Amino acid sequence: MKRSEPRGTIFLNLAWLRTAALALRRLISRGTLARVALAQRLGIPPSAATQRQHGIDCACYYTENLFVRSPVEGHFCFEGRTAFERRERPLLESLSFEARDELLSRLEAEAARRRGIVPAAAARKARVAAEYSPLRPELWTLCERWLHRDFVDLVEQARAGELRAPPQLAPGIYTLPVFSELFCRLLTEELAHFGASGLPVGQPNSMNRHGALLDELGLSAGLLDPLLSDWLRPLCAALPPLAAAGGASIDHHKAFVVAYRLGEDESLSMHVDNAEVTLNVNLGGGFEQGELLFYGRTAHPLAHHDWHDGGGVGHGVLHLGAQAHAALPITSGERLNLVIWMRSRARRREAGCPMCGQTDRLL
């Protein structure tokens, strides 16, 4: 009979393997940082595949829907100062000289941020992989204990073709439990740990300034990709309003956590998402107000979601990305939400980019 290894030896071997894997990951990441730096020095533009890896699906990203908060809050097309002055002449003439200059300067800064976003994101991701030691490494792998039991049941019904649809606030806007309270607690602890690390963090999107891009933490491959393919896609395919908008063929995503705090981002003005379907889940934080308003295609709210009445931590809203919506101000505390923009290449090749409506600018 072959003699088994002592238990302590097994644990030592596992610890050694983890250490070796971390060392290899850091070595690879340093190589990635070097390649990113070289490409920037040589002025080599990122490939279409690299842009897609960082959430950019269409060339319109660089010129359309640039968001500024002041002196005029809104989304603008910006292809340069001269073209903007010609296109938006009535708006600019209504502003003071100082406000006009501020608006143009903010748009130029946002355009520059977008042009540099791919190499900056790649460098941050490589540095995080090389230097960050997770507090809860188990979060990097999806398992059923991260999911709410009722969500598991919903998806099992969807796979069997027997889905009892979750409640709808309005057509194409569903409320449902998604994550377990344990997952939400561990993820918020991990995010706090990452925030204290001093490592750079990317802006979640053009409107939210505070939070984290989850792909830059390395959470896509083991956690978010299987969540999309194995759980969210079957559910979206079984809900007719979502399936008709591309939910049955979602194949990639942009995932991030947004943070709302007094004195920082307190609210979010009306907008649509660069997504066929959006999932927005309450991670907690202890806050008051901050409700979601959904407008559909009207100027007046047609549905309202209160995070406290909507099931609490781990519960969320699953909705069409084209549904115009806004977040009302919080009045105290901090609100943390995990948002997943789910996208379908097949849908975009057929119907065009959700932001510009074109197919010939897709990457």
Side-chain angles (χ1 to χ4, degrees):
M1 178 183 293
K2 184 177 179 180
R3 187 167 59 89
S4 62
E5 290 284 345
R7 187 177 180 86
T9 302
I10 294 173
F11 285 139
L12 283 172
N13 288 340
L14 288 174
W16 182 87
L17 286 171
R18 290 193 188 100
T19 302
L22 180 60
L24 179 60
R25 186 183 70 179
R26 288 176 173 171
L27 184 62
I28 293 170
S29 299
R30 290 191 186 99
T32 302
L33 277 169
R35 289 194 297 273
V36 169
L38 178 61
Q40 286 183 288
R41 285 199 301 271
L42 296 177
I44 301 172
S47 66
T50 301
Q51 292 177 76
R52 289 195 298 269
Q53 287 174 8
H54 294 284
I56 301 170
D57 292 74
C58 182
C60 76
Y61 173 81
Y62 299 102
T63 56
E64 308 288 331
N65 294 294
L66 274 68
F67 179 71
V68 295
R69 285 180 170 77
S70 67
V72 179
E73 183 173 277
H75 292 84
F76 297 94
C77 172
F78 188 78
E79 297 172 328
R81 184 177 284 245
T82 301
F84 187 82
E85 287 175 334
R86 183 171 57 250
R87 182 185 302 108
E88 299 290 347
R89 184 176 177 181
L91 169 64
L92 294 173
E93 289 180 345
S94 71
L95 302 175
S96 68
F97 175 81
E98 292 79 9
R100 184 161 60 246
D101 189 61
E102 179 188 354
L103 176 59
L104 289 166
S105 296
R106 288 183 181 275
L107 286 168
E108 286 176 331
E110 173 61 9
R113 184 190 74 84
R114 293 190 180 205
R115 288 193 300 270
I117 200 167
V118 172
R124 285 193 303 268
K125 184 175 180 178
R127 186 175 170 192
V128 168
E131 300 179 24
Y132 183 58
S133 296
L135 177 69
R136 303 288 188 180
E138 64 269 30
L139 286 172
W140 271 249
T141 303
L142 182 65
C143 60
E144 282 197 21
R145 69 184 179 123
W146 299 152
L147 304 176
H148 195 286
R149 183 64 244 175
D150 292 344
F151 177 75
V152 172
D153 290 343
L154 272 175
V155 177
E156 288 176 348
Q157 292 170 20
R159 290 170 180 155
E162 302 172 349
L163 178 65
R164 295 187 295 276
Q168 283 195 86
L169 296 174
I173 308 171
Y174 299 89
T175 60
L176 71 170
V178 181
F179 296 117
S180 66
E181 290 191 13
L182 172 64
F183 173 81
C184 296
R185 178 174 60 81
L186 295 183
L187 182 59
T188 54
E189 290 176 359
E190 188 69 53
L191 292 170
H193 179 66
F194 177 72
S197 71
L199 289 166
V201 59
Q203 181 174 322
N205 55 63
S206 63
M207 298 182 74
N208 292 99
R209 295 168 294 182
H210 303 281
L213 289 159
L214 298 184
D215 181 66
E216 292 186 9
L217 272 69
L219 285 166
S220 289
L223 177 72
L224 297 165
D225 291 351
L227 176 65
L228 181 79
S229 61
D230 299 344
W231 298 92
L232 292 171
R233 183 164 59 210
L235 180 59
C236 291
L239 295 169
L242 306 187
S249 58
I250 51 176
D251 54 11
H252 63 298
H253 59 82
K254 178 176 179 178
F256 47 90
V257 169
V258 292
Y260 293 88
R261 305 182 188 96
L262 296 179
E264 296 181 356
D265 289 341
E266 299 180 8
S267 62
L268 206 61
S269 57
M270 187 169 69
H271 63 283
V272 296
D273 295 337
N274 186 0
E276 275 64 51
V277 182
T278 294
L279 176 67
N280 187 341
V281 180
N282 175 19
L283 295 178
F287 61 92
E288 296 296 330
Q289 305 302 316
E291 301 94 332
L292 285 182
L293 294 182
F294 288 91
Y295 293 81
R297 301 183 184 277
T298 73
H300 304 286
L302 57 82
H304 164 274
H305 178 69
D306 186 306
W307 292 108
H308 300 288
D309 294 341
V313 173
H315 290 243
V317 183
L318 184 68
H319 65 86
L320 294 167
Q323 276 276 3
H325 55 287
L328 295 179
I330 62 167
T331 56
S332 66
E334 175 187 53
R335 178 161 77 87
L336 292 174
N337 282 62
L338 192 162
V339 179
I340 304 177
W341 288 349
M342 295 177 274
R343 298 166 171 176
S344 165
R345 290 188 181 89
R347 174 68 177 178
R348 293 180 182 216
R349 286 195 296 268
E350 174 187 325
C353 166
M355 308 310 288
C356 71
Q358 299 181 40
T359 58
D360 58 352
R361 302 181 75 185
L362 294 172
L363 298 174

